[in-house]
Amino acid sequence: METLTERPPAPPRTASAQQVATVALTALAPAAWGTTYAVTTELLPPGHPLFAGLMRALPAGLVGLALTRVLPRGDWWWKAAVLGVLNIGALFPLLFLAAERLPGGVAATLSATQPLLVAGLAIAVLHDRPTAWRWTWAVLGVLGVGLVVLGPQARLDAVGVLAGLGGTAAMAGGVVLTKRWGRPTGVGALTLAAWQLTAGGVLLLPLALAIEGVPQRIDAAAAGGYLWLGSMGGLIAYTLWFRGIGRLPVGASAPLVLLSPLVATVVGIGLGESLSLPQSFGFVLALAALLAAQFNSPIRRGRIARRGPVGDHIRQERMR
């Protein structure tokens, strides 16, 4: 008579497999943000960057609060407000302003400088000195994006450039402070995203109504654009982003923003644009930089390997 045997439990996922899964989920956020430029220029009413930021932030934040039903406590009231201003309230209108006044590729290139800004802020705030490996790939990533989207036909509007750089600097500060403060015990990434989207939206509400007002006409295409930016580009993307920031080293999470201009380029190709040979090389270079930044340098990997059990055994034999 056959006896039933239990199947052996599945082996646990290794740390590297878990990190790959975390990187893949986190990368969905900047990939969604890469559609912002096309949505802004193709679907949204022009001349209303504050209102666009408001519609992207406040409804999504209120939905998140309704789902989680958790409010900040103690010093997290002002921390959530600061992060909301940096990651949402300042970033969104500056991002939409840059998207309106610059070609999408130029605006995306400015956002690609974020890894360098994050690396510099990490030294001052986190006392975390990025390795030469990640510094090098961050610079190469910006160079690659520049090859993709900059050219003789690129129009450089001064206000747009300042807006793009300002938004990038605001989010870089938000990334570093999010990494430093972490999350309160028992608070998930969805709750943190809801706090910041709501705080940023509350800041933008009086500004948008006083300075711009409501667009005279919001058609079905614009409504769909606002819905996409608030859901996939807002609550969902920021939940994945804050989850990833909490689990990944700051030097590994920051280069993921290179996906934003790369996705913007792919969307542009879908809208009829084409890439020259230098642009194709830049695309590959930026993608290689994004991937290489997720790993340690070969020298560091060798050092880590020598510290493992095999390395300990070798050192013990040498001592004998």
Side-chain angles (χ1 to χ4, degrees), residues 182-195:
R183 296 199 302 264
T185 303
V187 171
L190 176 60
T191 301
L192 186 62
W195 290 352

Side-chain angles (χ1 to χ4, degrees), residues 127-138:
H127 306 292
D128 178 14
R129 187 175 297 276
T131 62
W133 172 267
R134 283 184 168 145
W135 271 112
T136 301
W137 284 111

Side-chain angles (χ1 to χ4, degrees), residues 249-277:
V250 67
S253 60
L256 291 177
V257 299
L258 293 175
L259 270 177
S260 182
L262 295 182
V263 169
T265 300
V266 172
V267 172
I269 293 174
L271 295 175
E273 300 177 4
S274 60
L275 295 182
S276 63
L277 183 60

Side-chain angles (χ1 to χ4, degrees), residues 56-92:
R56 184 179 181 180
L58 190 56
L62 294 177
V63 169
L65 289 180
L67 292 174
T68 59
R69 298 182 181 181
V70 177
L71 293 177
R73 294 181 179 179
D75 60 356
W76 267 98
W77 280 103
W78 68 265
K79 288 182 178 179
V82 171
L83 294 176
V85 169
L86 292 174
N87 287 323
I88 310 298
L91 170 66
F92 282 5

Side-chain angles (χ1 to χ4, degrees), residues 36 40 44 49 52-53 56 91-100 229:
T36 301
T40 301
L44 301 188
R56 184 179 181 180
L91 170 66
F92 282 5
L94 292 174
L95 178 65
F96 285 116
L97 181 60
E100 286 185 1
L229 293 174

Side-chain angles (χ1 to χ4, degrees), residues 13-26 248 295:
R13 291 197 304 176
T14 63
S16 59
Q18 291 178 351
Q19 182 168 354
V20 169
T22 300
V23 169
L25 285 175
T26 308
L248 296 173
F295 303 97

Side-chain angles (χ1 to χ4, degrees), residues 142-201:
V142 176
L143 176 61
V145 172
L147 288 174
V148 171
V149 299
L150 293 180
Q153 74 283 3
R155 295 177 289 107
L156 298 181
D157 177 82
V159 175
V161 170
L162 291 176
L165 291 176
T168 301
M171 188 173 181
V175 168
V176 173
L177 288 180
T178 301
K179 185 66 177 179
R180 177 173 180 174
W181 290 338
R183 296 199 302 264
T185 303
V187 171
L190 176 60
T191 301
L192 186 62
W195 290 352
Q196 297 188 40
L197 286 166
T198 303

Side-chain angles (χ1 to χ4, degrees), residues 28-46:
L28 292 177
W33 297 334
T35 64
T36 301
Y37 310 102
V39 171
T40 301
T41 56
E42 299 293 329
L43 302 178
L44 301 188

